[in-house]
């Protein structure tokens, strides 16, 4: 294939195992792709406060980050505070969606991203599920703060029930992605990893045919469709696999490794 000039990589479940490990082989492959002159862009649901350290651990100190499922775009810069500069932020009013979900799931936990820091939360989340600084705030503050990303967690529910709930209440003005657990991510309407990556692609003057993306989650579907070569991880669900041009190995097999190596041939 024509050498790719922009490689978009999901983090959790793609580069990183669910217990937070990135293999030495994947780290080396990411660096090799970067050293070959390609633009490596992490495209993740993580906030920038959590995505930037992952990029640095991979040896990426310059370039671009797409965070919060596309609502935040940052430029890696070793001279900047924390190693990055936020260049684009899209927010929405989370109040209507939060109030609607709360009526259906009164025991759910809610978190609104606190840009660059962590999250404002309705109550304590299960240990280790959210990163950064966590501050419990009032319902009034939570629902009135413009948000880049909202997390809704229902420990006693299932992803299937979340899908049914979303369809039933009709979340029309926000984008949503249901995670591997009973977890719902909300981002501004019309915003996705794909929309942010398209802005980055145009800024970098990369041709549309020179793009590759690898992902495993429902928040990766639009990104995989956007890329000229969209690759789903082997453990991805049916909808994600259907959106991809090809399927690689699962995360436990370092499935992203074969794709990264193929870009160097």
């Amino acid at each position: 294939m024509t050498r790719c000039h922009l490689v978009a990589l999901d983090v959790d479940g793609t580069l990183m195992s669910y217990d937070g490990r990135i293999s030495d082989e994947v780290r080396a492959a990411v660096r090799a792709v970067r050293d070959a002159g390609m633009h490596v862009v992490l495209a993740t649901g993580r906030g920038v406060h959590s995505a930037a350290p992952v990029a640095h651990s991979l040896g990426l100190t310059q370039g671009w980050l797409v965070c919060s499922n596309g609502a935040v775009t940052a430029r890696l810069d070793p001279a900047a505070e924390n190693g990055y500069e936020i260049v684009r932020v899209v927010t929405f009013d989370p109040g209507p969606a939060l109030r609607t979900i709360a009526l259906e799931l009164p025991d759910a936990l809610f978190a609104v991203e606190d840009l660059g820091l962590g999250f404002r939360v309705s109550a304590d989340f299960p240990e280790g599920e959210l990163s950064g600084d966590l501050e419990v705030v009032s319902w009034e503050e939570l629902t009135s703060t413009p948000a880049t990303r909202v997390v809704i967690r229902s420990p006693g529910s299932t992803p299937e029930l979340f899908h049914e709930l979303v369809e039933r209440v009709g979340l029309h003005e926000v984008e949503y992605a249901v995670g591997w657990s009973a977890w719902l991510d909300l981002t501004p309407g019309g915003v996705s990893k794909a929309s942010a990556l398209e802005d980055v692609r145009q800024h970098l003057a990369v041709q549309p045919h020179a793009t590759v993306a690898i992902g495993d989650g429902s928040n990766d579907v639009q990104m995989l469709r956007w890329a000229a070569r969209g690759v789903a991880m082997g453990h991805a669900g049916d909808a994600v696999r259907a959106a991809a041009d090809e399927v690689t190995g699962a995360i436990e097999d370092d499935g992203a490794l074969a794709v990264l190596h193929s870009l160097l041939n």
Side-chain angles (χ1 to χ4, degrees):
M1 62 173 285
T2 301
R3 169 146 294 193
C4 165
H5 296 291
L6 192 159
V7 185
L9 303 173
D10 174 49
V11 174
D12 298 281
T14 298
L15 299 180
M16 181 181 288
S17 65
Y18 294 117
D19 60 0
R21 186 184 66 87
I22 301 177
S23 72
D24 291 340
E25 292 80 7
V26 167
R27 293 179 193 275
V30 169
R31 291 194 296 270
V33 169
R34 175 207 60 194
D35 293 344
M38 302 180 215
H39 300 286
V40 178
V41 181
L42 298 188
T44 176
R46 289 173 175 244
V48 66
H49 67 277
S50 176
V54 175
H56 296 154
S57 77
L58 290 165
L60 304 175
T61 58
Q62 295 180 316
W64 296 85
L65 290 175
V66 167
C67 308
S68 305
N69 289 322
V72 177
T73 302
R75 183 176 62 86
L76 292 165
D77 181 354
E81 185 178 2
N82 299 317
Y84 64 85
E85 174 191 12
I86 296 172
V87 297
R88 182 173 180 267
V89 176
V90 184
T91 62
F92 72 107
D93 174 10
L98 289 182
R99 286 188 285 269
T100 297
I101 299 295
L103 288 173
E104 299 284 340
L105 295 172
D107 296 328
L109 303 172
F110 300 89
V112 173
E113 187 172 67
D114 192 1
L115 185 59
L117 297 174
F119 292 88
R120 297 184 178 95
V121 298
S122 61
D124 291 331
F125 271 62
E127 183 70 25
E129 288 198 347
L130 294 178
S131 62
D133 298 332
L134 306 179
E135 180 186 3
V136 177
V137 300
S138 68
W139 181 248
E140 289 72 22
E141 181 176 349
L142 203 69
T143 55
S144 63
T145 303
T148 51
R149 175 187 173 210
V150 169
V151 173
I152 302 169
R153 178 75 162 94
S154 182
S157 189
T158 65
E160 291 74 23
L161 288 176
F162 264 32
H163 275 291
E164 293 173 7
L165 172 60
V166 166
E167 293 299 322
R168 185 167 69 253
V169 303
L171 294 176
H172 299 301
E173 296 182 358
V174 295
E175 298 292 331
Y176 66 88
V178 178
W180 56 270
S181 63
W183 178 291
L184 182 65
D185 266 0
L186 304 179
T187 49
V191 170
S192 66
K193 292 183 182 183
S195 65
L197 284 166
E198 178 61 15
D199 287 341
V200 172
R201 182 194 68 77
Q202 293 186 28
H203 177 82
L204 294 172
V206 171
Q207 293 298 311
H209 68 265
T211 54
V212 168
I214 315 174
D216 75 308
S218 59
N219 60 338
D220 296 317
V221 166
Q222 293 184 60
M223 176 177 77
L224 297 181
R225 290 174 176 158
W226 164 85
R229 181 187 178 191
V231 184
M233 296 292 287
H235 60 276
D238 291 344
V240 181
R241 294 160 68 100
D245 300 295
E246 60 189 87
V247 178
T248 188
I251 182 63
E252 58 265 26
D253 304 316
D254 269 351
L257 198 57
V259 183
L260 293 170
H261 284 165
S262 74
L263 300 176
L264 301 169
N265 297 329

